[in-house]
Every structure is written in C-alpha cells, then in structure tokens.
Amino acid sequence: MCLILQNQEIIILNQKDQYANLKFSVSNIIHVGYLGICYLFYTLLINKRTRLNLRGSLYKAYRLGVIAIILICLYQILAFQFNLPFDIIFRQSTHGNVQGSRLYGPCGEASMLSYYLAPSLFLMLLNIKKYKKDMIWIALGILIGVLCYSSTFFVGLVLSLIPLLVKFLLHIKEKKSTGYLIAVVVVLIGTVIAIAIEWDYIEKAIFKFFDTIGAKNLSGSIRTEAFQRMAIIGFEYPFGVGFGSSRSKDLLSTWLCNIGIVGVIIFVIVMINYLNVCLKQNKTYECIPFILCVILAMISVPEPYNLFIWVLMFFGIYGTKGNNITSRDDILEKQIYQLWWF
C-alpha cells in the first residue's frame, strides 16, 4: 500500500516522530520483520512439545523478569537522587536523563514501563498463593508505576481493580481459602502506605493525568492531534497506507493509519475469538493481563512487538501452572491454531 500511495502527498506522523509525506522506507520492511519474529516466537510457545516443558517454568522466568525491572527502577530513584550513573548501565537511548524525576527503567519512556508493569503486577497477584513474598514486590511495583507520572499506569491500575474486586467478592461469597484475601489486603495496605509517603508526587501526577486526557497540556494536545490526523487517514484509506509507515502516539491510531479500518476490524474479530477460547479454557482471569496490555497499547504505546505481550497471550490460553498437557488442551488445540492463523 505504501508503494501504491506514496505519490499522493499523504501527510503521516512517521517513525522519526515528524509529520512528512508518505514514502516507502526501510521501516516498512523492518516492522514486518519485527512482527515475523513475534509470530515465530509465539508459534514456538504454543507448539505441543514446547508447552509441555514451558507452561510452569515460563511463569517463573517471567516473574523474575518483573522483579528485575522493579529493582532497576529502585536503583534509578537512587540514581536521580544522588546523581549516580543509570542510562550508561541499563539503557541505550538518545533520551538520556532528560525526563527528570520520571521513572522509565530500561524502557524507552515512562509509558512503556507503565504498560509493562500494570498487566505484569496483575498476573503476579493471580499467583500470590504460590509466591506469597510477591506481596512486597507488587506494592513496590505499584509505587514505581505511580512515580512514572504516566496516565498509562493510572488507567491500567483502575482497569485492574475492577476484576480484582469481583474476584475478592466471589472469594468472600464462596468462603474459599483466605490466602488470596489476606494477600489482597496486605497489598492494598502496603500500597496505601506507599502512596501516603509519596502523596505530593502523586497529587501532581493525578492533575497531569486529567490535563493530558483533556488535551489541556502539551502532551495531551500533541496526542490528540496525532490521533485525529492518523485516524482520519485510516478511514480515507480503508486498507491503510502500509504496515510500518506511521508511528503515532498510540497503537489504535497507528494501526488505523497503517492497516486501515479493515485491518483494525479484523484485529477486533481476532480478539473476540481469543476471549472465546480463553473462556472455554476457564481462564477468565488469566487472559486479563494480555487484554489489559492491548487496551493500554491502544491508548498510549504504538509498538506491539515486545515479546512480553506474546507471553501474556500464551498465559491467557494455557495458564501459568503446571507443565502437563491436559485433554482439554488437545480438544481446543485445533481451535487455537485456527485462531492464530486467522
């Protein structure tokens, strides 16, 4: 599509974050390559032999990854406070320390860190019975997310509280094990204490969040303009202007521009089928981290290539516990592959 349309003087927000005429470039090839790597990675994950060895151990590795990111961010707080080296150790980026006291860890920016943390912390809370010490890591993760001053994390936190509250009430109604209830209470208490300590920073973050979504500050106005201009292109050219052509401020307007309204509709159909498969697998809560990740990307982060997204998709169908393959897996395997190839 990019080769066909590049002579029509279509103005897009390109990969360099500049408004420019549409033209074919190496990014059109590179981004298809990124997607191809993710496709191969996920195909290997859902392979029957791989699932047998990875279903339980993959979560252990993912959990350690989340803890590592939290530790890096804790060090970044100290680095900002005492002028210690950070970027040169953990991050190669042209941004440097220009973001001031906002935490971004090893990620490109604070919003990218936020859309990794929010679904990951939710996943850890689902497995709190097995890893009770994770209550501390979850509370620290929430504090770090708040200190990112990113609207992405606040949206993720609010969306996470809804299913957690439902699960909490069901535990009380069904009089299940108190382990989960105690974990939730401890995490909430720890979070409240952490928020109370950093309230001055959090108050600023809340005002910044409402200014951003209301397009009252520079960040909000830039995002609103980018969304409107790229979304309009998606409706003018239903099949888009070419995968990898535009990089807007969020995944929805990026895809509306690149793959058009037709491509976005197909993606929505795939997501509906994915939820259907998860529900048939009785993985109602396990699929929430992936869905949460997609929602956050749609409003803030334009890249779908981070491998953790695809791991969360895997957890949504197969869960995080055990390395054995059940008969239910075999029954639904054909459906899962049909979904994936579609």
Side-chain angles (χ1 to χ4, degrees), residues 57-128:
S57 56
L58 186 62
Y59 174 73
K60 296 177 182 178
Y62 190 91
R63 169 182 169 270
L64 292 176
V66 178
I67 293 173
I69 296 297
I70 292 173
L71 289 173
I72 290 173
C73 291
L74 290 175
Y75 171 75
Q76 188 177 23
I77 295 175
L78 296 176
F80 281 140
Q81 186 71 29
F82 299 103
N83 197 27
L84 301 173
F86 180 81
D87 288 354
I88 196 171
I89 303 174
F90 296 107
R91 182 173 178 259
Q92 292 182 345
S93 173
T94 57
H95 286 82
N97 275 351
V98 295
Q99 298 187 63
S101 59
R102 290 185 70 186
L103 297 179
Y104 48 81
C107 304
E109 57 185 10
S111 58
M112 292 181 178
L113 174 63
S114 297
Y115 106 112
Y116 166 75
L117 272 181
S120 298
L121 295 175
F122 185 94
L123 184 68
M124 290 179 72
L125 191 56
L126 290 179
N127 292 273
I128 200 71

Side-chain angles (χ1 to χ4, degrees), residues 1-2 5 233-234 237-242 255-262:
M1 293 304 299
C2 185
L5 299 171
I233 292 175
Y237 302 91
F239 294 97
V241 298
W255 275 0
L256 278 171
C257 181
N258 288 350
I259 61 178
I261 186 64
V262 173

Side-chain angles (χ1 to χ4, degrees), residues 4 15 33 64 88 117 175 237 241 257 260 268 273 277 302 326 342:
I4 295 171
Q15 298 293 332
L64 292 176
I88 196 171
L117 272 181
K175 298 180 180 179
Y237 302 91
V241 298
C257 181
V268 171
N273 287 338
V277 171
T326 66
F342 177 77

Side-chain angles (χ1 to χ4, degrees), residues 66 70 74 117-118 121 134-148 153:
V66 178
I70 292 173
L74 290 175
L117 272 181
L121 295 175
D134 282 357
M135 293 183 290
I136 299 173
W137 295 115
I138 293 171
L140 287 173
I142 293 174
L143 175 61
I144 288 168
V146 168
L147 294 180
C148 286
F153 187 79

Side-chain angles (χ1 to χ4, degrees), residues 211-318:
D211 286 344
T212 300
I213 63 175
K216 294 180 180 179
N217 58 17
L218 181 61
S219 175
S221 60
I222 291 175
R223 287 176 178 272
T224 300
E225 181 187 5
F227 182 89
Q228 291 174 344
R229 295 179 67 166
M230 296 306 100
I232 289 172
I233 292 175
F235 286 96
E236 289 181 351
Y237 302 91
F239 294 97
V241 298
F243 196 85
S245 297
S246 173
R247 184 188 186 274
S248 186
K249 304 297 182 179
D250 59 274
L251 188 59
L252 180 56
S253 61
T254 297
W255 275 0
L256 278 171
C257 181
N258 288 350
I259 61 178
I261 186 64
V262 173
V264 172
I265 289 173
I266 291 174
F267 176 76
V268 171
I269 294 172
V270 171
M271 287 297 96
I272 292 172
N273 287 338
Y274 173 82
L275 285 172
N276 184 47
V277 171
C278 292
L279 293 175
K280 286 184 177 179
Q281 285 278 60
N282 293 323
K283 299 292 189 296
T284 306
Y285 289 96
E286 285 83 352
C287 73
I288 290 176
F290 171 65
I291 299 301
L292 183 61
C293 193
V294 171
I295 293 173
L296 295 181
M298 286 295 179
I299 64 174
S300 66
V301 179
E303 282 87 18
Y305 312 118
N306 298 280
L307 291 183
F308 79 88
I309 305 172
W310 304 73
V311 176
L312 293 178
M313 188 194 302
F314 173 86
F315 288 150
I317 295 177
Y318 297 105

